[in-house]
Amino acid sequence: MPVLRIAAFSDGNKGGNPAGVWIGDALPDASQMQAIAAEVGFSETAFAAPQGGAWRVRYFSPLMEVPFCGHATIALGAALAHRHGDRTFELHLNDAIISVSGRRDANTIAAALQSPPTRSAPVDPTLRDGLLDLFGYTIDDLDPKIPPARIHGGADHVVLALKSRQALARMTYDFERGRALMEKAGLVTVALVTMETPQLFHVRNAFAAGGVVEDPATGAAAAAFAGYLRDIGWPHGGAIDIVQGEDMGMRSLIRAEIGETAGSSIRVSGTARFTMHDVASSV
């Protein structure tokens, strides 16, 4: 089956984070999926096959399988809606059951996922200091209103909140060192965030563990971050908007809706855009 290439969390008809989407009658074995994901080369490729009235889904980066990927789920929702019409699709992941909905709208498809449950905890000071050193920051660069934390919304991340947009723009790191540190800590990404308003954040996500320097849009980390803001009593007003990928020239827009119940699922939404080739090949 051909792999669709769909940019999730796009800014209209531009930007977004490209994901691979493979849909077939049955999933290939893990080694085949890993090889396909490596050949595609995007930060993640989603593999989906029907399972009863739902879909069995697995996600692979170029280097490893990941338990959950938000932008690839949005891309999958767009592909399923394109093929099967506007509806909500139940997805069976390795460790959770979630859903994604898709709604066709001209050249883009609006999609929304319900994340796995969220949780957060203070980050170990040694890991915090190691990550600050990796990215060239100090404690003085951190925003004390949003303390560093280990966050989860289907996968594990660390969030470091910075005081200024300028500090976020200068993010850089040694890839191999970052990969080793993230793998040792069991992290999928490190989310660097800065607040413009209490409901608007600019974000960069380092994804060295998956073989990618930076992700232009990261739905799993967005869900985890939104859950963390709920945990600390942040004045989110029920939703936050995230701008990501600007420093890569791939501006992406993510919306995360936050319910009142601690630990509950986060609704993460955005638009997805197909290449003309993928629209034609998926009909």
Side-chain angles (χ1 to χ4, degrees):
M1 299 292 293
V3 177
L4 303 176
R5 289 160 171 81
I6 302 170
F9 299 118
S10 62
D11 180 7
N13 289 314
K14 59 185 179 180
N17 190 3
V21 176
W22 185 100
I23 301 173
D25 294 332
L27 293 183
D29 64 37
S31 62
Q32 288 178 294
M33 289 188 283
Q34 185 64 77
I36 292 169
E39 182 179 355
V40 171
F42 293 154
S43 55
E44 273 99 3
T45 295
F47 296 83
Q51 180 176 283
W55 292 84
R56 178 70 174 101
V57 180
R58 295 175 71 175
Y59 308 92
F60 286 80
S61 80
L63 292 181
M64 66 180 186
E65 183 172 10
V66 295
F68 171 61
C69 173
H71 86 276
T73 301
I74 292 294
L76 174 60
L80 291 174
H82 184 77
R83 292 186 176 199
H84 301 289
D86 299 356
R87 68 182 73 173
T88 297
F89 305 91
E90 182 177 293
L91 309 181
H92 291 201
L93 314 186
N94 287 353
D95 303 313
I97 296 175
I98 66 169
S99 66
V100 66
S101 61
R103 187 183 74 252
R104 294 163 295 183
D105 181 18
N107 293 327
T108 61
I109 295 182
L113 64 85
Q114 289 293 148
S115 77
T118 65
R119 62 178 183 267
S120 63
V123 69
D124 179 87
T126 301
L127 176 57
R128 176 203 63 196
D129 293 346
L131 290 171
L132 287 173
D133 184 65
L134 173 69
F135 292 110
Y137 297 122
T138 69
I139 291 290
D140 290 338
D141 288 306
L142 295 178
D143 185 344
K145 297 185 292 297
I146 306 175
R150 193 177 185 107
I151 60 176
H152 182 93
D156 284 340
H157 314 263
V158 162
V159 60
L160 299 174
L162 303 172
K163 289 178 181 177
S164 72
R165 181 68 180 85
Q166 291 74 20
L168 184 69
R170 71 172 191 264
M171 184 273 278
T172 187
Y173 68 100
D174 180 88
F175 178 78
E176 290 301 332
R177 183 182 165 207
R179 178 180 170 188
L181 182 56
M182 292 178 208
E183 286 181 349
K184 181 179 179 181
L187 302 176
V188 174
T189 77
V190 176
L192 302 168
V193 311
T194 189
M195 177 192 69
E196 181 173 328
T197 75
Q199 289 82 42
L200 177 61
F201 295 84
H202 296 267
V203 176
R204 301 183 73 173
N205 272 85
F207 187 35
V212 176
V213 173
E214 181 178 357
D215 241 355
T218 319
F225 179 55
Y228 175 53
L229 292 179
R230 174 173 56 199
D231 291 346
I232 64 174
W234 187 261
H236 52 73
I240 60 169
D241 290 298
I242 290 172
V243 179
Q244 192 175 331
E246 281 187 316
D247 297 283
M248 303 173 65
M250 299 174 68
R251 190 171 191 264
S252 305
L253 305 178
I254 305 171
R255 184 166 180 82
E257 298 174 48
I258 307 169
E260 296 180 358
T261 304
S264 63
S265 172
I266 301 294
R267 179 179 171 85
V268 179
S269 60
T271 60
R273 60 181 179 85
F274 291 74
T275 68
M276 291 307 295
H277 167 76
D278 285 332
V279 171
S281 66
S282 62
V283 173

